[in-house]
Amino acid sequence: MNPLLDQPFSTPFQTPPFSKFSTADFKPAIEKAIEEAKEEIKAIVDNTASPSFENTIEALTLSGEKLDRITSIFFNLNSAETNKEIQKTAQEVSPLLSEFSNDIVLNENLFSRIKSVYDHKESFNLNEEQQELLRKTFRRFTRNGANLSEEDKTTLREIDKKLSKLSLQFGENVLAETNDYQLHITNQADLAGLPDYAMDMAQQEAEKRGLEGWVFTLHMPSYLAFQKFADQRELREKLYKASGAKAFQDNERNNENIIKEIVSLRYQRAQLLGYKTHADFVLEERMAKSPQKVLDFLNDLLEQSIEFAKKDIQSLAEYAEKTDGIKELMPWDHAYYAEKVKKEQFDLSDEELKPYFELNAVLQGAFSIAQRLYDISFVPNQQIETYHPDVKVFEVKDSSNETIGIFYTDFFPREGKRAGAWMTNYRNGSKMNGVHKIPQISIVCNFTQPTKDKPSLLTFNELTTLFHEFGHALHGLLANTQYEALAGTQVSWDFVELPSQFMENYCYEPEALALFAKHYETGEVIPQALIDKIIAAAQFLEGYQMSRQISFGKLDMAWHAVEISDIEDVDAYEVKAFEGTQVYPKVEGTNMSTAFSHIFQGGYSSGYYSYKWAEVLDADAFDYFKQNGIFDKATADKFKTLLSSGGTVDPMVLYKNFRGREPQQDALLKRVGIKS
């Protein structure tokens, strides 16, 4: 018996029994689960009773549960603990899953039943959540080809199969390029400026690779430390160019042709479905609704921030020339001089802050904040299996001590883990027919590892990253919905970042910091003087940061919101897309698009703008908390309702129910110092 098919798992809270299965189990398990899911679909189609919400819509959303479970485990491992065998399996099963998905949405008889329920929805006594599930189910089918001719359905299937393989290949190329590069240093003089933790980390990396000296990599903790602190400008340049050249070199991992093929296929797909562009297709189901609304939003913010961005970089350039005679400030100088100016202006540096942000204490602090806001607690559970020794597991309990969720944390970089930070799930929550299936949520990050002498001490950026992903996790853990399909983060992408970015605000609040920001050696609470500096420094280079994020959003829209004809030169196209947003010179041999995993692998195509969109929401929401108190119970209860509702209510309605009005930009512009 394949252990993946033995479901529900006979483990605590039906969590994945990682030790019971091997990579070889996944493909046959997925193939078998697809067959079982097909039988469930057939039973719906063959039902002789008149189509109803229960026998069609609800039955459909409950079908394929085993398949969803197996694939969530598999693709989470492919991101966090991958290897060649897993990657090979991913290439083999992705087309099967794409084909199965198309089998469902292109099934005429199934769609006929769904349409019948949709057309007669007034005759069914549906609650608000059921109405939303019906609407989304109907839209899912019409938006994915249910009304196409047989010939066009065949074309759609081929496009989707190709896209699933291409996005996997894109990600594998980026990961391989990240893993393979090393900056090997044997001369200690080349380490000038680097703090002890960065040198310790590099020494451990060298030992791991069987080398003398120190090794710096393109993984974020290593890369950022070197860019921020290394005095050797030539080496900073070398590392920057290596990072910027990921999947943009003349080798078998070059992603340029993959990008061209992905955007071309996405455009063809949108046209086939009756949409002008891929962005028109995507945004129809987002808060923004249209590409023009997104472009207007980005251009409006750019207009308000670009002069601030230029002033930010001009001040850095003047400092670099005055102190080191640098005639032209380049991107590999940015983090280095930003750190120096920040230290001089605010007398603040990561080295000074890190002792107050010991990882375990920070995590407990996040838990304490969640407890004060939402009456939940996090209890370690060492009986629940994990896929790697670094992973820790917690039971999430409500005020009556009932377990409402399982929470996994995976914090350190390793060879089998892709870069960045993300929240994911092994199962969403649901409450059906008296059965509460609790959510199983995970956050995966790449933080500074502990060394032989020190625990993991976070930079301030890593601190906000942890709170960001924890915000996503709370969205999933607090789910209070009937259906998994509408639980937690199953919301429009320009709303999904509100809970995560909202949580980052607590990293700047003295009342919150007092819960966890304690010196790891002395136990001293972070001094108010340091907090004042953090708050003052929060606006430092914010004009630049905003224009940079806007440039990524505009690049995304350039790839997806226009008619895609034959693009010969990916780099030239990117340069054109960035026009008006860039404050640094173009560096030859580097390219953003070829490693832009968010839009070519991670689901953010036509959606990168949503980070800024959600910042408007989060600043406005937190401003409301600040007016009432950052732990005010009545305000927190309203926000908890927003979180627990998942995708059961239109996001603008949810936000207005919480805030009493639509979001406004003022709070964000004031927060970043663009408005007084």
Side-chain angles (χ1 to χ4, degrees):
M1 178 69 179
N2 189 314
L4 285 160
L5 294 166
D6 186 17
Q7 292 192 34
F9 298 129
S10 56
T11 50
F13 306 104
Q14 300 173 4
T15 48
F18 292 102
S19 67
K20 298 283 195 299
F21 46 74
S22 67
T23 303
D25 292 322
F26 278 105
K27 187 179 179 186
I30 288 170
E31 289 171 336
K32 177 66 174 170
I34 287 174
E35 290 309 311
E36 289 183 15
K38 283 180 177 177
E39 287 301 313
E40 292 167 346
I41 299 297
K42 186 175 185 299
I44 298 169
V45 172
D46 291 348
N47 193 334
T48 55
S50 297
S52 69
F53 179 83
E54 286 76 16
N55 71 21
T56 302
I57 307 302
E58 194 168 86
L60 176 60
T61 202
L62 295 175
S63 70
E65 185 179 356
K66 189 180 289 186
L67 178 63
D68 291 343
R69 193 84 160 105
I70 296 167
T71 53
S72 74
I73 295 168
F74 176 72
F75 285 106
N76 282 329
L77 290 176
N78 191 37
S79 291
E81 187 64 8
T82 197
N83 55 46
K84 294 291 184 191
E85 192 183 354
I86 289 178
Q87 290 176 356
K88 180 174 180 289
T89 303
Q91 289 285 357
E92 291 167 352
V93 301
S94 290
L96 303 180
L97 292 165
S98 178
E99 190 172 345
F100 169 67
S101 177
N102 280 328
D103 282 344
I104 295 175
V105 295
L106 301 179
N107 185 318
E108 284 185 28
N109 294 327
L110 178 60
F111 179 61
S112 174
R113 290 184 69 89
I114 292 166
K115 189 173 187 306
S116 172
V117 178
Y118 187 80
D119 289 344
H120 299 93
K121 56 181 173 284
E122 305 304 331
S123 64
F124 302 105
N125 187 25
L126 304 180
N127 63 32
E128 190 175 38
E129 182 171 345
Q130 290 170 328
Q131 290 175 44
E132 188 64 5
L133 181 65
L134 172 58
R135 186 193 74 80
K136 285 183 173 175
T137 302
F138 181 73
R139 297 289 297 140
R140 174 189 161 204
F141 276 71
T142 56
R143 282 168 50 79
N144 285 284
N147 291 320
L148 294 179
S149 68
E150 283 308 311
E151 184 183 351
D152 285 345
K153 284 179 181 177
T154 302
T155 304
L156 186 70
R157 287 175 186 273
E158 286 305 310
I159 289 173
D160 286 345
K161 198 183 292 187
K162 287 177 187 172
L163 281 170
S164 70
K165 295 197 80 164
L166 285 166
S167 80
L168 273 174
Q169 189 60 54
F170 181 96
E172 286 172 15
N173 288 346
V174 174
L175 180 61
E177 294 272 279
T178 303
N179 283 337
D180 277 7
Y181 181 83
Q182 62 180 34
L183 176 62
H184 183 205
I185 292 175
T186 53
N187 181 358
Q188 191 158 3
D190 289 338
L191 302 175
L194 285 161
D196 289 345
Y197 84 88
M199 290 190 284
D200 291 345
M201 191 164 53
Q203 193 169 30
Q204 284 184 200
E205 187 63 35
E207 286 172 8
K208 196 167 82 179
R209 296 179 185 225
L211 297 170
E212 294 293 319
W214 303 265
V215 166
F216 293 87
T217 72
L218 300 181
H219 289 285
M220 272 304 132
S222 177
Y223 175 81
L224 278 178
F226 199 87
Q227 292 301 100
K228 273 185 177 182
F229 299 112
D231 292 340
Q232 287 282 17
R233 191 182 189 217
E234 300 80 10
L235 292 178
R236 292 200 312 271
E237 177 181 355
K238 188 175 182 180
L239 197 63
Y240 174 88
K241 286 181 174 177
S243 181
K246 282 187 291 194
F248 186 56
Q249 301 174 80
D250 187 14
N251 61 24
E252 71 281 1
R253 295 173 186 151
N254 186 296
N255 273 338
E256 290 173 90
N257 286 331
I258 289 176
I259 287 173
K260 288 192 266 189
E261 200 170 351
I262 286 174
V263 295
S264 175
L265 287 168
R266 284 175 176 169
Y267 177 72
Q268 289 174 46
R269 190 181 194 280
Q271 290 268 299
L272 196 64
L273 293 166
Y275 294 86
K276 187 179 174 186
T277 67
H278 178 67
D280 287 276
F281 169 76
V282 169
L283 293 167
E284 184 182 52
E285 288 290 289
R286 305 283 165 89
M287 289 179 82
K289 301 302 181 196
S290 73
Q292 194 55 53
K293 182 88 177 273
V294 170
L295 290 167
D296 289 347
F297 169 75
L298 292 173
N299 287 328
D300 182 38
L301 282 181
L302 181 65
E303 191 177 326
Q304 298 191 67
S305 63
I306 190 64
E307 290 308 314
F308 287 86
K310 289 175 181 175
K311 285 176 188 169
D312 283 344
I313 302 312
Q314 181 61 32
S315 68
L316 278 193
E318 288 169 2
Y319 179 89
E321 184 170 16
K322 182 181 75 177
T323 55
D324 293 325
I326 303 294
K327 294 299 182 190
E328 184 179 29
L329 196 74
M330 295 299 286
W332 49 86
D333 299 315
H334 181 88
Y336 180 75
Y337 287 106
E339 189 68 17
K340 287 193 174 304
V341 172
K342 187 167 73 170
K343 175 74 176 163
E344 194 170 290
Q345 268 190 11
F346 307 102
D347 191 23
L348 186 69
S349 71
D350 272 334
E351 276 306 277
E352 190 176 10
L353 291 175
K354 278 162 67 81
Y356 294 98
F357 302 138
E358 192 273 317
L359 174 58
N360 291 319
V362 168
L363 186 62
Q364 291 304 317
F367 292 166
S368 297
I369 290 167
Q371 184 162 26
R372 291 183 67 170
L373 290 171
Y374 310 123
D375 297 317
I376 57 175
S377 57
F378 293 75
V379 181
N381 185 321
Q382 295 179 354
Q383 273 64 58
I384 292 175
E385 287 194 30
T386 66
Y387 53 86
H388 190 277
D390 284 349
V391 181
K392 303 288 182 279
V393 190
F394 302 85
E395 278 182 65
V396 186
K397 295 177 178 285
D398 64 14
S399 55
S400 60
N401 208 36
E402 180 187 348
T403 300
I404 60 163
I406 300 298
F407 180 51
Y408 297 82
T409 64
D410 180 358
F411 287 137
F412 304 122
R414 54 181 175 267
E415 195 174 332
K417 184 194 282 191
R418 68 176 169 89
W422 61 95
M423 166 268 188
T424 185
N425 69 73
Y426 291 96
R427 182 177 75 189
N428 274 325
S430 65
K431 292 180 176 178
M432 282 287 299
N433 305 319
V435 178
H436 182 193
K437 290 183 178 174
I438 63 171
Q440 299 169 7
I441 305 297
S442 175
I443 61 173
V444 188
C445 306
N446 283 275
F447 292 151
T448 305
Q449 288 175 292
T451 65
K452 293 167 188 168
D453 306 316
K454 289 181 182 174
S456 176
L457 303 175
L458 303 184
T459 65
F460 191 76
N461 184 59
E462 289 175 329
L463 170 70
T464 57
T465 296
L466 190 151
F467 270 71
H468 180 102
E469 300 309 333
F470 186 61
H472 280 311
L474 289 172
H475 202 182
L477 290 165
L478 292 170
N480 185 23
T481 60
Q482 283 178 267
Y483 305 105
E484 273 194 60
L486 299 176
T489 56
Q490 302 299 303
V491 297
S492 64
W493 280 71
D494 46 8
F495 189 66
V496 79
E497 293 298 333
L498 166 61
S500 54
Q501 292 180 185
F502 169 82
M503 280 303 294
E504 291 183 42
N505 289 284
Y506 285 90
C507 298
Y508 299 89
E509 296 295 324
E511 195 180 348
L513 287 165
L515 297 172
F516 65 87
K518 299 171 184 177
H519 197 287
Y520 79 102
E521 289 176 315
T522 67
E524 174 203 17
V525 175
I526 189 168
Q528 184 61 44
L530 265 185
I531 297 174
D532 291 341
K533 290 177 188 177
I534 290 170
I535 294 167
Q539 294 182 352
F540 180 57
L541 299 181
E542 269 298 315
Y544 166 74
Q545 292 297 346
M546 185 174 282
S547 67
R548 183 171 178 267
Q549 284 293 100
I550 290 166
S551 75
F552 296 163
K554 286 174 75 73
L555 178 62
D556 174 26
M557 296 306 283
W559 284 119
H560 295 116
V562 296
E563 179 181 345
I564 297 295
S565 51
D566 290 336
I567 294 169
E568 290 298 322
D569 188 331
V570 165
D571 199 39
Y573 191 77
E574 175 175 295
V575 169
K576 192 168 189 313
F578 277 154
E579 274 178 10
T581 68
Q582 298 301 91
V583 290
Y584 277 112
K586 160 73 177 167
V587 178
E588 290 306 316
T590 68
N591 186 271
M592 167 78 184
S593 298
T594 56
F596 201 172
S597 298
H598 274 78
I599 68 169
F600 293 120
Q601 186 195 14
Y604 271 85
S605 63
S606 306
Y608 199 86
Y609 76 92
S610 60
Y611 281 105
K612 272 284 161 260
W613 184 279
E615 267 193 69
V616 170
L617 297 179
D618 97 69
D620 192 56
F622 199 71
D623 187 56
Y624 189 40
F625 268 84
K626 294 267 282 188
Q627 291 169 30
N628 301 315
I630 65 168
F631 291 113
D632 179 67
K633 205 70 194 68
T635 311
D637 285 346
K638 287 202 283 185
F639 200 70
K640 185 178 182 180
T641 298
L642 177 149
L643 294 173
S644 63
S645 299
T648 62
V649 182
D650 179 273
M652 189 59 84
V653 173
L654 269 182
Y655 190 84
K656 285 163 71 175
N657 288 345
F658 160 69
R659 189 69 173 88
R661 58 161 173 74
E662 290 197 1
Q664 297 173 359
Q665 282 187 12
D666 277 12
L668 174 63
L669 296 173
K670 286 174 185 171
R671 185 171 76 188
V672 300
I674 288 174
K675 269 193 175 179
S676 57

